[in-house]
């Protein structure tokens, strides 16, 4: 409780205004493009920290500032910020604002997968289930096997079904589930006196049954809690005597001796992935970190591709925009020049013949775009860095921290690139693998998919 109180105090300054802990970034007003980019990154990092501690109101403040500062030309980055703020709004119960942010994010970048998940979650919270389902279906067009999308779809379909299948409560009493074991029934009252003989021999079936019970009681000396079985034995009232119909339904329930399972031969144990000594199939694991680290370095370090004029499935007018003055662009070479770091681990666990592949990796890459203009042997080079985070065996990963570091060997940033070089960076580096099939991100994507497939064979 004390820690929670201190955490809440940190949210206020001496004037009672929220956000004092982050005043340095919330009140910052950068004027240069580089300053704005750095401020947006800092705001995003702090917002992630707030989300980790479930401090969503402050995360909303930080994302709001980032949305105000981010350069207008970075539509994809603004879409990510909007989608993240939508999640924060939904976490504090503001579904309406969450939906508005998701819609804006979709307008900014309709290829960003999480936009559709955020939009569907907000619509679900608003009770607009049919629209939520439409949003999920649109997202699944981009990634049909997304686990989060599928899970949310099941919840939405359940909401739609419960909305359309509501039934009034039935007034019919539930059916009996017990099996009748005797043709006679006992009287409900143990204190009722024996009735006088009837004047007429014509009696109802209910009276006849009651009379039979009295006779049983008399034979037992008026002792309650016993009954007669079909073969005439006297037994407790709670004894359950099965008739032939019930026996046929239940089948043979006599105790049977359990036979020991045959020992699994060593060859079979090996086929299941376990070690020879682990014939019982208990838990074991194999560490594949050295193999996975080496494979990622080799595969990503060898990435290279070339796009020539007329061969990129692009609009000729867009290709014309890559010209350096009067010199049209002839070709662009895309490559990974260095794998700066590969960090993570990989393992395969096995339990009773069932395998589970686990890996978690992050890599830092250096890339280069080499531009070849018509009529000249000289080339121009745009170089930079990119991080690929959270690479898992489920073929999931995240591209982060894309940046330009050099132009023609000199330190540079995206903001100082010539117009044609900036357009090439946006087209062949910044665009995702789903929107640019010939770009750097697609090369990385294909290499990681092959790595995951090979890892699953281990």
């Amino acid at each position: 409780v004390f820690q929670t109180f201190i955490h809440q105090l940190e949210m206020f300054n001496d004037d009672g205004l929220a956000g004092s802990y982050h005043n340095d970034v919330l009140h910052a007003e950068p004027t240069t493009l580089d300053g704005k980019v750095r401020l947006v990154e800092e705001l995003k990092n702090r917002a992630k920290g707030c989300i980790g501690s479930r401090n969503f109101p402050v995360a909303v403040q930080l994302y709001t500032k980032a949305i105000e500062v981010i350069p207008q030309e970075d539509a994809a980055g603004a879409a990510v910020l909007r989608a993240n703020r939508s999640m924060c709004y939904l976490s504090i119960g503001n579904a309406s604002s969450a939906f508005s942010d998701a819609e804006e994010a979709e307008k900014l970048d309709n290829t960003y997968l999480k936009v559709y998940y955020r939009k569907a979650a907000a619509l679900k919270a608003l009770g607009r289930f049919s629209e939520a389902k439409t949003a999920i279906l649109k997202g699944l067009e981009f990634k049909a096997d997304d686990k989060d999308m599928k899970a949310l779809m099941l919840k939405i379909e359940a909401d739609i079904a419960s909305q359309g299948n509501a039934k009034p409560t039935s007034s019919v009493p539930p059916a009996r589930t017990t099996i009748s074991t005797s043709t006679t029934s006992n009287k409900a009252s143990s204190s009722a006196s024996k009735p006088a003989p009837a004047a007429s021999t014509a009696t109802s079936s209910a009276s006849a049954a009651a009379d039979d019970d009295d006779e049983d009681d008399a034979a037992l000396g008026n002792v309650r809690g016993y009954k007669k079985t079909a073969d005439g034995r006297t037994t407790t009232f709670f004894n359950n005597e099965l008739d032939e119909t019930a026996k046929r339904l239940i089948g043979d329930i006599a105790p049977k001796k359990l036979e020991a399972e045959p020992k699994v031969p060593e060859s079979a144990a090996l086929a299941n992935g376990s070690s020879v000594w682990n014939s019982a199939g208990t838990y074991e694991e194999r560490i594949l970190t050295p193999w996975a680290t080496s494979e990622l370095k080799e595969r990503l370090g060898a990435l290279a591709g070339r796009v020539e004029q007329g061969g990129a499935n692009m609009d000729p007018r867009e290709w014309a925009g890559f010209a350096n003055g009067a010199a049209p662009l002839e070709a662009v070479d895309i490559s990974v020049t260095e794998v700066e770091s590969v960090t993570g681990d990989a393992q395969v666990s096995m339990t009773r013949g069932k395998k589970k592949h686990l890996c978690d990796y992050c890599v830092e890459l250096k890339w280069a775009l080499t531009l070849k203009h018509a009529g000249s042997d000289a080339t121009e080079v745009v170089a930079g860095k990119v991080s690929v985070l959270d690479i898992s065996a489920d073929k999931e990963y995240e591209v982060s921290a894309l940046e330009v570091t050099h132009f023609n060997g000199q330190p540079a940033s995206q903001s100082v690139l010539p117009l044609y070089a900036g357009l090439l960076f946006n087209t062949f580096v910044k665009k995702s693998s789903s929107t640019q099939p010939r770009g750097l991100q697609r090369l990385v994507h294909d290499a990681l998919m092959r790595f995951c497939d090979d890892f699953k064979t281990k």
Side-chain angles (χ1 to χ4, degrees):
V1 174
F2 178 75
Q3 289 178 342
T4 302
F5 175 69
I6 293 299
H7 178 69
Q8 291 173 341
L9 283 179
E10 290 177 347
M11 295 173 57
F12 296 90
N13 59 22
D14 295 337
D15 299 324
L17 298 176
S20 64
Y21 187 76
H22 303 287
N23 271 348
D24 57 328
V25 291
L26 291 175
H27 295 165
E29 296 294 340
T31 55
T32 64
L33 182 59
D34 282 344
K36 291 179 179 181
V37 170
R38 287 196 298 271
L39 178 58
V40 168
E41 286 299 319
E42 179 65 20
L43 287 163
K44 285 166 59 178
N45 290 335
R46 295 196 187 188
K48 288 180 181 178
C50 290
I51 291 172
S53 60
R54 305 195 65 78
N55 193 353
F56 297 108
V58 174
V60 167
Q61 285 185 312
L62 294 168
Y63 279 128
T64 300
K65 179 67 176 180
I67 291 169
E68 295 172 358
V69 174
I70 194 167
Q72 291 183 352
E73 58 268 20
D74 191 2
V80 173
L81 295 175
R82 289 274 185 179
N84 289 348
R85 190 173 71 171
S86 172
M87 180 270 292
C88 294
Y89 272 135
L90 191 60
S91 298
I92 59 177
N94 191 346
S96 179
S97 295
F99 172 66
S100 298
D101 265 349
E103 274 207 318
E104 287 299 321
E106 183 181 3
K107 293 176 184 177
L108 291 166
D109 185 0
N110 60 7
T111 64
Y112 183 40
L113 183 63
K114 286 187 179 178
V115 164
Y116 302 102
Y117 182 89
R118 304 295 185 215
K119 185 176 180 180
L123 287 167
K124 181 181 183 299
L126 292 169
R128 295 157 62 179
F129 305 127
S130 297
E131 296 174 71
K133 182 176 180 180
T134 301
I136 282 289
L137 289 173
K138 194 169 182 181
L140 289 172
E141 292 177 3
F142 290 91
K143 190 175 181 182
D145 60 345
D146 188 85
K147 294 185 290 186
D148 293 334
M149 287 277 195
K150 288 183 175 181
L152 184 56
M153 171 65 89
L154 292 176
K155 294 178 182 178
I156 292 171
E157 288 179 337
D159 289 333
I160 293 173
S162 62
Q163 199 175 46
N165 295 336
K167 296 181 181 179
T169 304
S170 173
S171 60
V172 180
R176 292 173 59 87
T177 58
T178 57
I179 300 174
S180 174
T181 61
S182 176
T183 57
T184 62
S185 61
N186 290 288
K187 293 178 63 176
S189 173
S190 62
S191 61
S193 61
K194 190 179 181 77
S200 171
T201 57
T203 59
S204 67
S205 59
S207 299
D211 289 342
D212 289 340
D213 287 341
D214 284 338
E215 289 172 3
D216 290 343
D217 293 339
L220 292 170
N222 293 322
V223 179
R224 299 286 177 172
Y226 292 89
K227 65 182 179 181
K228 290 286 188 180
T229 61
D231 58 2
R233 292 182 296 108
T234 300
T235 183
T236 174
F237 176 78
F238 298 103
N239 182 63
N240 187 13
E241 183 183 10
L242 301 179
D243 56 26
E244 292 303 320
T245 302
K247 289 179 180 178
R248 286 196 299 272
L249 289 172
I250 295 175
D252 186 7
I253 59 174
K256 294 181 177 62
K257 181 180 179 181
L258 295 177
E259 300 293 338
E261 295 183 359
K263 185 177 180 180
V264 179
E266 291 184 357
S267 58
L270 286 171
N272 289 335
S274 301
S275 303
V276 173
W277 54 265
N278 189 9
S279 59
T282 54
Y283 178 84
E284 67 172 291
E285 66 182 22
R286 289 189 292 126
I287 302 300
L288 291 177
T289 301
W291 175 87
T293 302
S294 174
E295 285 293 312
L296 285 171
K297 283 184 179 179
E298 182 178 348
R299 293 168 189 253
L300 295 176
L303 293 182
R306 183 179 179 89
V307 182
E308 298 182 304
Q309 182 178 7
N313 297 324
M314 296 176 60
D315 188 334
R317 292 172 296 179
E318 184 177 6
W319 187 267
F322 301 146
N324 180 5
L329 181 67
E330 186 175 281
V332 56
D333 291 313
I334 308 162
S335 62
V336 171
T337 57
E338 181 184 346
V339 180
E340 278 195 305
S341 66
V342 178
T343 56
D345 51 69
Q347 67 181 46
V348 179
S349 64
M350 287 156 285
T351 304
R352 299 191 180 278
K354 293 183 179 179
K355 281 187 178 182
K356 188 173 184 180
H357 294 76
L358 301 170
C359 75
D360 184 10
Y361 271 93
C362 296
V363 298
E364 303 284 341
L365 307 175
K366 287 185 178 180
W367 54 266
L369 293 180
T370 304
L371 318 181
K372 174 71 170 63
H373 293 280
S376 173
D377 294 333
T379 59
E380 295 179 295
V381 179
V382 181
K385 296 181 177 181
V386 61
S387 300
V388 186
L389 310 177
D390 302 328
I391 303 170
S392 72
D394 295 326
K395 297 186 176 181
E396 295 182 350
Y397 63 92
E398 180 179 352
V399 176
S400 177
L402 266 170
E403 60 176 321
V404 175
T405 59
H406 293 80
F407 180 60
N408 290 336
Q410 300 299 318
S413 64
Q414 184 183 0
S415 59
V416 300
L417 290 178
L419 179 60
Y420 65 91
L423 289 173
L424 282 163
F425 168 74
N426 287 332
T427 302
F428 293 109
V429 177
K430 202 168 185 180
K431 282 190 176 181
S432 66
S433 61
S434 61
T435 57
Q436 176 50 264
R438 304 290 294 277
L440 173 68
Q441 292 198 39
R442 186 51 181 258
L443 292 173
V444 172
H445 173 83
D446 291 344
L448 292 179
M449 295 305 102
R450 290 191 293 270
F451 165 79
C452 290
D453 288 339
D454 290 347
F455 179 49
K456 288 291 182 71
T457 64
K458 298 295 180 180

